[in-house]
Amino acid sequence: MLNRTGNPVPRSEFRNYLSSGYRDDLARDILAGMTAEQKCIPSRYFYDARGSQLFEEICRLPEYYQTRLELSILHGACGAIMESFGKGDLVELGPGTDLKASKLIDAAPEPEGEGICYIPVDVSESALAAATEGLLRRYPRLRVLGIVGDFTRDLGYIPARGKKLVTFFGGTIGNFTDPAAQRMLRSVAGVMGEDDRFVVGLDMVKPVPVLEAAYNDAAGVTAAFNKNILAVVNRELGADFDPGRFEHRAGFNRDEERIEMHLVASAAMAVGIPALDLHVAFERGETILTEISRKFTRESAGRLFSAAGLTVERWFSDPKEWFALAEVSRAGLG
Ligand code: AVJ
């Protein structure tokens, strides 16, 4: 492609909207979390370089069915999704690899990424670069606009133009409490036009042993992933958590329909957090809640979306309904 002066127009551009506040956010969240009745650390802090690597390992575990199932559901759904989308902006919130975007672009009516601008949104610029490099090579007509930002607050930077297909894969919506999920879904609804679609991955309620095995794998990768969050706090805030004195525990809470992941203090201890000028006392057996992972039914998913002003248009799932992709619109809002 040439611009008016006859020079080639670059096919990819990155815009960084990240405030430099990661450490400030962590400090605020850790102060609140370590002084709460139920101690907690928000799960978004799992994903430093080592945590992201461990998470990719989790996705390949035999017990962790989500990633493989979602990809096979997408394989069957991408034709229908892309037929109605046609072309425009393909926005992916928190892309991991380029696998899912490839499936969609392969299924587009026009070849080589013609007419599509891929817009991944992620806090990690290196993750964005890694996810888009292969796509640019594979699809010679694809354009890319990488948005370095936090998809829980920076969606306003997504350009308002033409048609949009927004995706949020991985079941990550389940890591949000209901109010946080509502805020997130409403902010997506806010950038959608009436003909736009939003595809959301949801992990479903299923037999408890299957659910619990996925978060207590035999190889101990999830345990290592869980404990790594203490290493993040140590590094960023100078804390002296001893990950060796905490145990991994994950179980399904039937009333809340969610997996809850904890770190359990194996002895009474005191932990210093110099950056917060704080000493935290742990009793033996006391826990830090590090993650919730909500599991949905079609009914609870319908309630989640309708409360945010979204309507389920199509539902794609596997025969056992272990995982689902909900295609939703903001139709009916006017
Ligand atoms: C894929 C990010 C939603 O909740 O299952 C995996 C993260 N935590 N094992 C999930 C996770 C423990 C995960 N998400």
Side-chain angles (χ1 to χ4, degrees):
M1 205 189 296
L2 301 181
N3 67 14
R4 257 177 281 176
T5 58
N7 294 316
V9 176
R11 284 197 292 135
S12 78
E13 184 193 335
F14 287 81
R15 298 184 189 156
N16 194 328
Y17 298 105
L18 213 56
S19 56
S20 49
Y22 175 82
R23 207 181 147 277
D24 294 343
D25 289 352
L26 179 70
R28 197 188 347 93
D29 289 340
I30 294 298
L31 179 60
M34 288 302 120
T35 53
E37 177 72 17
Q38 164 67 68
K39 294 184 170 73
C40 60
I41 302 176
S43 55
R44 56 188 287 236
Y45 298 112
F46 276 129
Y47 303 93
D48 67 342
R50 169 135 178 82
S52 302
Q53 188 189 323
L54 286 166
F55 177 65
E56 281 187 24
E57 241 179 274
I58 288 174
C59 293
R60 292 191 296 267
L61 290 169
E63 296 95 335
Y64 200 77
Y65 54 86
Q66 278 106 303
T67 316
R68 286 181 297 273
L69 257 187
E70 181 175 51
L71 202 63
S72 77
I73 295 166
L74 182 62
H75 185 77
C78 57
I81 294 170
M82 294 307 280
E83 193 190 336
S84 12
F85 171 58
K87 57 170 100 172
D89 289 330
L90 172 59
V91 180
E92 183 167 16
L93 309 179
T97 63
D98 60 11
L99 224 55
K100 290 158 197 165
S102 293
K103 277 236 178 291
L104 290 169
I105 300 166
D106 280 341
E110 295 194 50
E112 301 190 337
E114 176 72 49
I116 298 178
C117 182
Y118 176 59
I119 308 185
V121 185
D122 201 280
V123 286
S124 161
E125 180 154 16
S126 60
L128 286 187
T132 56
E133 234 172 74
L135 294 177
L136 283 164
R137 233 179 296 121
R138 183 157 172 195
Y139 305 103
R141 310 199 66 82
L142 180 74
R143 282 168 302 126
V144 167
L145 172 59
I147 296 197
V148 187
D150 180 340
F151 57 67
T152 64
R153 61 182 164 216
D154 295 328
L155 296 186
Y157 297 115
I158 294 169
R161 60 180 187 202
K163 201 164 176 181
K164 264 192 293 295
L165 172 63
V166 185
T167 64
F168 189 30
F169 292 120
T172 306
I173 192 75
N175 297 141
F176 294 86
T177 60
D178 202 54
Q182 290 302 324
R183 275 196 297 279
M184 154 92 202
L185 294 177
R186 277 169 193 281
S187 80
V188 176
V191 301
M192 287 171 73
E194 278 195 47
D195 295 329
D196 293 340
R197 292 288 183 272
F198 179 26
V199 174
V200 186
L202 301 166
D203 196 22
M204 305 295 282
V205 172
K206 61 181 63 61
V208 174
V210 179
L211 282 172
E212 293 192 333
Y215 294 84
N216 292 283
D217 62 281
V221 183
T222 308
F225 174 74
N226 197 3
K227 290 177 191 179
N228 179 64
I229 208 166
L230 298 178
V232 172
V233 179
N234 285 348
R235 184 180 59 239
E236 297 292 330
L237 303 179
D240 59 1
F241 278 103
D242 179 356
R245 294 169 80 196
F246 285 85
E247 272 157 37
H248 166 72
R249 181 195 290 163
F252 188 60
N253 179 331
R254 290 170 197 260
D255 293 332
E256 302 282 347
E257 294 191 321
R258 64 190 195 190
I259 289 282
E260 294 174 357
M261 205 159 82
H262 293 263
L263 289 164
V264 187
S266 54
M269 68 183 104
V271 175
I273 310 180
L276 302 177
D277 207 5
L278 187 70
H279 278 270
V280 188
F282 284 87
E283 289 168 28
R284 179 192 156 89
E286 191 175 351
T287 76
I288 305 171
L289 176 65
T290 51
E291 185 174 67
I292 61 162
S293 190
R294 296 163 70 194
K295 307 304 166 190
F296 297 92
T297 60
R298 273 188 85 141
E299 295 69 41
S300 68
R303 285 196 297 272
L304 172 82
F305 290 120
S306 68
L310 294 162
T311 309
V312 178
E313 298 285 348
R314 285 188 287 197
W315 181 266
F316 304 98
S317 191
D318 55 293
K320 289 194 276 194
E321 287 234 336
W322 275 13
F323 199 91
L325 291 175
E327 188 188 27
V328 307
S329 69
R330 42 155 293 190
L333 273 188

